[in-house]
Amino acid sequence: MQKFQIPIKDCIIPMYDSVLQDVLEHKHTHYTFPGGRGSTKSSFVGICIPLLIINNPNVHAACFRKVGNTIQNSIRAQIEWGIFKLWLERFFQIPKVYSSPITFIPTGQKIYFLGLDNPDKVKSIKPSFGYIGITWFEELDQYSGDNEIRKVIQSTIRGGDKYWDFRTFNTPISKNNWANMYVDRAESYSKPTLVVRNTYLDVPRDWLGEQFIEEA
């Protein structure tokens, strides 16, 4: 399938322009985004995943939250937002049941949504073709630690030569939080991890609204 190109103006903030190019060119494997509310980090991943699905016809995605009943208003909402923001809704089948996968109609690729409070569901993911080459762990600090993440990745990766792993979270106050410690280690690696830090101050004011900025 021909590579999909789309103008990204008004989809992502300017500082993410080069990051999106990095993602689409697969320059890194792991992309970690620590930041506060309003930094648009989750919205950015909501743009990245549909674009990666379209441009890699053998790849499926799995998006995770620690607790399953938080999926609808978080990772699921962000992916749907990304699809509509990119004007791609006619190419995706979006079921009303929030735990059901979203399907890219031309190829049948899936975007799965799972909570890790039911680990058996993770083991049962078996796409009918291709492999799960994209994972997204939202609110990383809410997981029990790096071992839990590794177990999930070991369950999902089966074949394939390209892999993208997104991790997003609001930076905890405690430096001893495992997610903060993970980021500190990751920033010392030249590869395969890219860490991108930003705040609401990097976002155009009209995207957030004056009320949000006042509260922030």
Side-chain angles (χ1 to χ4, degrees):
M1 184 175 179
Q2 186 177 6
K3 295 289 184 181
F4 181 83
Q5 300 293 331
I6 193 163
I8 57 174
K9 183 180 179 182
D10 296 331
C11 290
I12 62 176
I13 60 176
M15 73 166 291
Y16 282 154
D17 288 354
S18 61
V19 183
L20 179 61
Q21 198 63 32
D22 191 296
V23 170
L24 295 179
E25 293 177 5
H26 197 245
K27 290 184 176 180
H28 293 81
T29 300
H30 304 283
Y31 293 88
T32 300
F33 300 88
R37 284 184 61 244
S39 63
T40 71
K41 57 190 180 299
S42 298
S43 299
F44 175 68
V45 178
I47 290 288
C48 288
I49 290 179
L51 290 178
L52 288 174
I53 289 289
I54 287 173
N55 284 323
N56 297 274
N58 209 36
V59 167
H60 305 264
C63 306
F64 298 96
R65 284 295 305 265
K66 176 65 175 177
V67 179
N69 64 13
T70 61
I71 289 172
Q72 184 171 12
N73 295 321
S74 58
I75 49 177
R76 177 62 179 257
Q78 293 290 359
I79 294 292
E80 289 187 24
W81 175 87
I83 290 170
F84 280 85
K85 191 70 174 177
L86 294 167
W87 294 81
L88 295 174
E89 61 270 21
R90 67 189 183 279
F91 297 111
F92 285 87
Q93 182 183 25
I94 304 175
K96 292 183 179 180
V97 179
Y98 73 86
S99 58
S100 297
I102 290 174
T103 303
F104 182 50
I105 297 169
T107 61
Q109 290 162 271
K110 305 287 187 183
I111 303 174
Y112 298 95
F113 302 90
L114 301 107
L116 290 191
D117 46 351
N118 189 346
D120 289 338
K121 285 190 175 182
V122 178
K123 297 177 183 178
S124 68
I125 301 178
K126 292 182 180 178
S128 59
F129 68 94
Y131 66 102
I132 295 174
I134 305 164
T135 53
W136 177 16
F137 297 92
E138 170 71 311
E139 304 294 357
L140 182 69
D141 58 305
Q142 295 180 0
Y143 298 88
S144 60
D146 202 35
N147 285 338
E148 182 177 26
I149 303 297
R150 287 183 184 181
K151 286 180 182 178
V152 173
I153 290 175
Q154 289 168 357
S155 295
T156 55
I157 298 177
R158 296 187 181 95
D161 56 358
K162 283 186 177 182
Y163 179 66
W164 293 264
D165 171 42
F166 297 98
R167 304 183 184 193
T168 53
F169 66 105
N170 295 333
T171 308
I173 295 174
S174 172
K175 284 188 171 292
N176 293 326
N177 182 281
W178 82 269
N180 283 336
M181 296 171 68
Y182 159 77
V183 171
D184 289 343
R185 291 195 307 270
E187 284 186 309
S188 67
Y189 307 152
S190 58
K191 266 198 175 263
T193 303
L194 176 65
V195 176
V196 182
R197 296 178 183 268
N198 76 296
T199 71
Y200 75 94
L201 295 173
D202 300 301
V203 180
R205 293 179 71 92
D206 59 323
W207 285 27
L208 299 175
E210 293 302 320
Q211 186 62 46
F212 178 95
I213 293 171
E214 265 188 46
E215 295 295 330

